[in-house]
């Protein structure tokens, strides 16, 4: 716990302290990642993960065929789609990062709201 968290915890009364503990600390990485599958948009995240996985597997398969190609034309036929699919899989995977950061920001906003309510009481 950082110094500012300790000062905030000391300033809170019992009810507010209980609420802060229910909000909790920042979750670990895997909790945040698996958190994208909860809520109203959880199904869309699951679909994107499946699509991303399929694109990556197809891209790797095509890349293996690229390395086995005997002619330059055959290498292009396998190499360009392989590179495209692997890059698309990467782009889809990177689309999840903003969602993870939104959840982290939402948790911090809850803490700020609690502090504002506390200041209004005084």
């Amino acid at each position: 716990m950082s110094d500012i968290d300790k000062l905030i915890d000391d300033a809170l009364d019992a009810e507010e302290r209980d609420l802060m503990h229910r909000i909790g600390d920042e979750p670990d990485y895997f909790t945040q990642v698996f958190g994208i599958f909860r809520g109203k948009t959880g199904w869309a995240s699951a679909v994107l993960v499946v699509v991303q996985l399929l694109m990556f597997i197809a891209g790797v398969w095509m890349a293996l065929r690229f390395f086995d190609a005997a002619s330059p034309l055959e290498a292009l036929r396998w190499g360009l789609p392989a590179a495209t699919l692997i890059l698309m899989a990467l782009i889809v995977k990177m689309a999840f990062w903003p969602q993870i950061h939104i959840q982290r920001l939402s948790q911090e906003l809850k803490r700020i709201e609690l502090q504002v309510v506390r200041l209004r009481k005084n």
Side-chain angles (χ1 to χ4, degrees), residues 16-28:
E16 293 167 343
R17 189 174 296 115
D18 180 51
L19 183 58
M20 285 292 282
H21 288 292
R22 278 190 276 151
I23 293 173
D25 291 332
E26 183 175 341
D28 63 349

Side-chain angles (χ1 to χ4, degrees), residues 28-117:
D28 63 349
Y29 176 76
F30 291 108
T31 304
Q32 291 179 15
V33 168
F34 292 122
I36 63 174
F37 299 111
R38 292 189 301 254
K40 295 179 182 179
T41 61
W43 67 271
S45 297
V47 169
L48 282 175
V49 166
V50 170
V51 168
Q52 181 268 331
L53 184 64
L54 291 174
M55 284 191 295
F56 181 75
I57 290 171
V60 168
W61 178 73
M62 289 181 177
L64 292 173
R65 298 288 303 257
F66 164 76
F67 289 115
D68 290 336
S71 69
L73 184 58
E74 186 181 0
L76 280 174
R77 284 188 183 143
W78 291 110
L80 290 176
T84 302
L85 283 172
I86 291 173
L87 286 173
M88 286 174 58
L90 177 66
I91 290 169
V92 170
K93 184 178 289 278
M94 295 306 290
F96 291 118
W97 285 109
Q99 182 66 26
I100 292 171
H101 290 296
I102 287 170
Q103 290 174 354
R104 183 182 299 162
L105 184 63
S106 172
Q107 184 180 22
E108 292 302 320
L109 283 174
K110 288 177 187 177
R111 288 181 179 186
I112 292 172
E113 287 174 355
L114 179 62
Q115 291 172 2
V116 168
V117 167

